[in-house]
C-alpha cells in the first residue's frame, strides 16, 4: 500500500516501479540494499525519521549513470528496510544558487518546519564553480520543497582561513541555537570542519573550525587535504565527527595512497565548540564505502547509511542503466576507548528466508569445505569460528565451482587482520579488484564472529562488532554462488554457521 498522498507522487512512484522492474534481472543489481530506481546514486542526504516515516534522500542524477547534475532523490520507509520511491525532492533550478547542482546536505526540523541545508552549485561568469550553503523548506510532509529567497544563505566562505573547498553540511541544535559544520580543507594544513551558529538556520555566524586534520600525517590514519560530508553527533560518553577524505592530489598521482576513498571518524571530548579527539578510526575498511550520514531515530538509535560506489568501468555502468547503492542501515554504538561499534539494524532480519545451519565442524588445511545448501547471491551468513592452530581461516562467497572466481574473507591470526579479498572476484578485467585489510585482534578465547551480507555485487562484512569491510564484486559466471569455509596452516573449528536466503525489498 502506498504511503503517498499527492497524485504527482503516485505518478513518480509508478515510473520508478517500472524502472525497477526493468532493471531487476541484472545479476549485479542488489536485491536488498537500496538503489535508485535507475541511473546514478551517491551520498545519502537528509536522513530523518519524521511523521512516522524514515526518509532517505540521496544524491541522484536521474538522467544518466554519471556523477553530474545532482538532484536530491527521495524514498521513504516505515521499517528502515522496505522503501517506496517518492518524487525527486530537489532539482537544480536555472537562475538560482543551485542551478548547476544540489549537492549533499541534511534536514532538521525548525519550529515544526522541515528545513534542508544543502550545497548549491553554480558556475559563475568567470567559469568558477561556486559551492555555497542553501536552504529549502517543506510544508507538505517533505514531498515538495521551496527554496529560501535569500539563497545562498552563506554567500562566501570565511576569509580568515585559506580554504579551497566549502561544501556539505551537518546541523544540530544546542540550548542556545543551531550549529552547522561545513566540509572544507585549509591549504597546506589539512581537512577542516568549519563551525557556524544561527538562530534561524538562515543567518549564520562563522565561529572557527570544530576540528582540523593534518594532511602530512600518514599514520595511523591518512585524513587528506579536504573533508567532505561532515557528520557530528553525541554517542555514549563522547562526541563523534565523521568525515570523508577527499584527496585528489594523492589519489591521482597514486603516490602514497593510490586508493583514497575512505571515511574517518574522530571520537572524543566536545567542549567550547571544539572537538578534542581521543580516538580516530575508519568507518569501513573497504574501498566502496563513502560519504556516510547518520541520524537519531525515535528509539534514540544512531543509524548510518553509506554510499557503496561501483567498482567497474563507466561504460559498463552506462550499459547497466544504474550506478551506486546504499549500505545496510548500521546502528552505531560507542565502545570502550572511543571505538565505534557498528551492527546492521535488527530490522534487516525481517528479510531472512530459508535457513540452513552447520555446527561443530573441524576445518583442516587443504581444499575449501563447500557448504552444500549454502550457495546463493542474496544471503546473510552468521559464523562463529575458532581459529585454533590455523594461521588463516575464513569464508569464500560468490565462488565459482572451479574456483576461477571467488571472494575471500580471511582472518589472519598472526597479523591480527581481517581481509576482504576481491582480487579474484571476477574474470572481467573492467572491474576493480583488490584485497582490503582491517586490523582485528581477537581477545584470548574470543571466536571470530562474522556477519556477511552478500547481495549480488555487494559483500558487506561485520566482524566482532568491531570492524566493517564492504566491497563490490562482479562475478561473470552465473554459477559463482558457492559458499565455502577454509583453514590454512593448521586446524580450526567452526562452532556454528547459519545461512539465510534474503528476500528482496522491492516486492
Ligand atoms: N558528493 C556530493 C558532494 C560531496 C560529494 C556531490 C561526496 O556534496 O562532497 O554529489 O561524495
Amino acid at each position: 500500500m502506498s504511503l503517498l498522498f499527492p497524485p504527482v507522487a503516485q505518478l513518480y512512484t509508478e515510473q520508478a516501479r517500472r524502472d525497477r522492474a526493468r532493471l531487476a534481472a541484472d545479476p549485479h543489481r542488489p536485491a536488498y540494499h537500496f538503489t535508485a530506481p535507475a541511473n546514478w546514486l551517491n551520498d545519502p542526504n537528509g536522513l530523518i525519521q519524521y511523521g512516522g516515516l524514515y526518509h532517505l534522500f540521496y544524491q541522484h542524477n536521474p538522467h544518466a549513470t554519471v556523477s553530474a547534475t545532482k538532484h536530491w532523490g527521495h524514498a521513504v520507509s516505515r521499517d528502515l528496510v522496505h522503501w517506496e520511491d517518492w518524487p525527486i525532492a530537489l532539482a537544480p533550478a536555472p537562475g538560482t544558487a543551485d542551478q548547476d547542482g544540489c549537492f549533499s546536505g541534511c534536514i532538521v526540523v525548525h519550529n515544526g518546519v522541515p528545513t534542508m541545508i544543502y550545497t548549491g552549485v553554480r558556475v559563475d561568469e568567470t567559469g568558477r564553480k561556486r559551492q555555497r550553503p542553501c536552504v529549502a523548506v517543506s510544508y507538505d510532509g517533505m514531498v515538495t520543497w521551496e527554496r529560501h529567497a535569500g539563497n545562498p544563505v552563506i554567500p562566501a566562505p570565511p576569509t580568515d582561513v585559506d580554504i579551497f573547498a566549502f561544501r556539505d553540511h551537518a546541523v544540530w541544535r544546542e540550548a542556545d541555537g543551531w550549529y552547522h559544520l561545513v566540509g572544507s580543507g585549509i591549504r597546506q594544513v589539512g581537512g577542516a570542519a568549519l563551525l557556524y551558529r544561527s538562530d534561524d538556520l538562515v543567518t549564520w555566524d562563522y565561529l572557527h573550525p570544530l576540528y582540523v586534520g593534518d594532511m602530512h600525517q600518514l599514520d595511523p590514519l591518512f585524513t587528506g587535504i579536504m573533508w567532505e560530508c561532515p557528520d557530528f553527533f553525541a554517542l555514549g560518553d563522547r562526541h563523534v565527527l565523521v568525515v570523508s577524505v577527499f584527496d585528489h592530489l594523492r589519489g591521482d598521482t597514486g603516490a602514497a595512497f593510490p586508493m583514497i576513498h575512505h571515511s574517518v571518524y574522530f571520537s572524543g571530548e566536545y567542549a567550547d565548540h571544539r572537538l578534542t579527539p581521543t580516538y580516530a578510526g575508519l568507518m569501513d575498511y573497504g574501498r566502496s564505502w563513502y560519504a556516510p550520514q547518520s541520524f537519531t531515530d525515535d528509539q534514540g538509535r544512531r543509524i548510518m547509511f553509506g554510499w557503496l560506489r561501483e567498482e567497474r568501468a563507466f561504460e559498463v555502468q552506462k550499459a547497466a542503466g544504474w550506478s551506486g547503492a546504499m549500505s545496510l542501515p548500521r546502528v552505531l554504538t560507542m565502545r570502550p576507548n572511543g571505538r565505534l561499534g557498528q551492527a546492521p539494524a535488527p530490522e534487516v532480519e525481517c528479510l531472512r528466508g530459508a535457513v540452513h545451519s552447520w555446527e561443530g565442524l573441524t576445518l583442516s588445511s587443504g581444499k575449501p569445505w563447500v557448504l552444500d545448501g549454502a550457495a546463493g547471491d542474496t544471503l546473510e551468513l552468521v559464523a562463529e569460528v575458532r581459529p585454533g592452530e590455523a594461521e588463516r581461516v575464513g569464508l569464500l562467497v560468490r565462488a565459482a565451482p572451479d574456483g576461477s572466481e571467488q571472494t575471500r574473507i580471511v582472518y589472519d591470526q598472526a597479523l591480527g587482520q581481517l581481509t576482504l579479498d576481491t582480487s579474484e572476484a571476477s574474470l572481467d578485467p573492467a572491474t576493480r579488484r583488490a584485497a582490503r585489510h582491517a586490523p582485528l585482534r581477537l581477545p584470548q578465547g574470543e571466536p571470530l564472529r562474522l556477519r556477511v551480507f552478500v547481495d549480488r555485487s555487494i559483500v558487506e562484512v561485520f566482524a566482532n562488532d568491531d570492524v566493517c569491510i564492504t566491497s563490490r564484486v562482479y562475478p561473470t559466471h552465473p554459477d559463482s554462488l558457492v559458499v565455502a569455509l577454509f583453514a590454512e596452516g593448521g586446524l580450526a573449528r567452526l562452532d556454528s554457521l547459519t545461512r539465510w536466503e534474503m528476500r528482496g525489498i522491492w516486492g
Side-chain angles (χ1 to χ4, degrees), residues 40 42-43 59 67 70 103-104 119 167-168 226 228-229 290-291 307:
W40 175 269
N42 59 299
D43 318 349
Q59 288 285 283
S67 177
K70 294 301 169 62
F103 274 18
S104 287
T119 298
R167 62 175 176 272
D168 309 336
M226 188 258 158
E228 299 187 307
C229 301
Y290 198 67
W307 163 39

Side-chain angles (χ1 to χ4, degrees), residues 118 236 277 331 369 399 421 437 496:
Y118 66 102
V331 178
W369 182 312
D421 184 356
H437 311 288
S496 62

Side-chain angles (χ1 to χ4, degrees), residues 147-361:
R147 287 170 173 75
H148 191 272
N151 280 348
V153 292
I154 301 178
T159 49
D160 65 345
V161 269
D162 184 15
I163 62 164
F164 68 94
F166 192 60
R167 62 175 176 272
D168 309 336
H169 312 271
V171 176
W172 68 96
R173 180 91 203 162
E174 294 190 19
D176 66 340
W178 289 102
Y179 286 81
H180 175 186
L181 290 180
V182 184
S184 188
I186 301 178
R187 275 181 221 283
Q188 299 308 321
V189 177
L194 305 179
L195 184 64
Y196 285 78
R197 192 203 157 277
S198 172
D199 289 324
D200 59 5
L201 299 173
V202 171
T203 305
W204 291 99
D205 295 318
Y206 175 62
L207 301 179
H208 49 248
L210 175 96
Y211 183 59
V212 178
D214 176 359
M215 63 183 276
H216 304 291
Q217 184 183 322
L218 303 182
D219 265 342
L221 269 183
F222 176 69
T223 62
I225 60 169
M226 188 258 158
W227 291 345
E228 299 187 307
C229 301
D231 193 20
F232 186 63
F233 48 90
L235 194 66
D237 58 352
R238 298 174 198 229
H239 277 74
V240 183
L241 171 67
V242 182
V243 296
S244 289
V245 172
F246 174 88
D247 199 318
H248 65 282
L249 301 177
R250 283 175 223 254
D252 282 355
T253 61
F257 285 78
M259 302 206 301
I260 289 161
H261 216 264
H262 61 213
S263 300
V264 173
Y265 69 89
F266 303 97
S267 63
E269 193 189 341
Y270 174 57
D272 300 325
H273 299 115
R274 294 182 197 266
L275 182 72
T276 307
T278 49
Y279 189 86
L282 278 190
M283 290 303 315
D284 190 294
Y285 287 82
R287 192 188 135 83
S288 306
W289 165 278
Y290 198 67
Q293 191 180 83
S294 66
F295 69 108
T296 301
D297 80 347
D298 291 350
Q299 300 173 45
R301 301 179 300 175
R302 195 76 197 176
I303 298 172
M304 176 175 269
F305 286 87
W307 163 39
L308 308 181
R309 56 184 214 146
E310 300 298 320
E311 297 289 350
R312 54 183 178 162
F314 285 116
E315 55 274 20
V316 185
Q317 296 177 42
K318 185 174 173 195
W322 63 279
S323 175
M326 290 297 165
S327 70
L328 292 176
R330 296 180 177 183
V331 178
L332 305 183
T333 48
M334 184 51 68
R335 306 196 68 202
N337 307 324
R339 284 176 81 87
L340 274 186
Q342 302 182 60
E347 283 90 334
V348 172
E349 292 169 21
C350 76
L351 298 174
R352 289 172 172 174
V355 61
H356 270 65
S357 38
W358 294 259
E359 271 179 15
L361 300 179

Side-chain angles (χ1 to χ4, degrees), residues 8 11 73 127 174 231 331 364 426 473 482:
V8 60
L11 282 178
E174 294 190 19
D231 193 20
V331 178
S364 54
S426 175
V473 295
V482 170

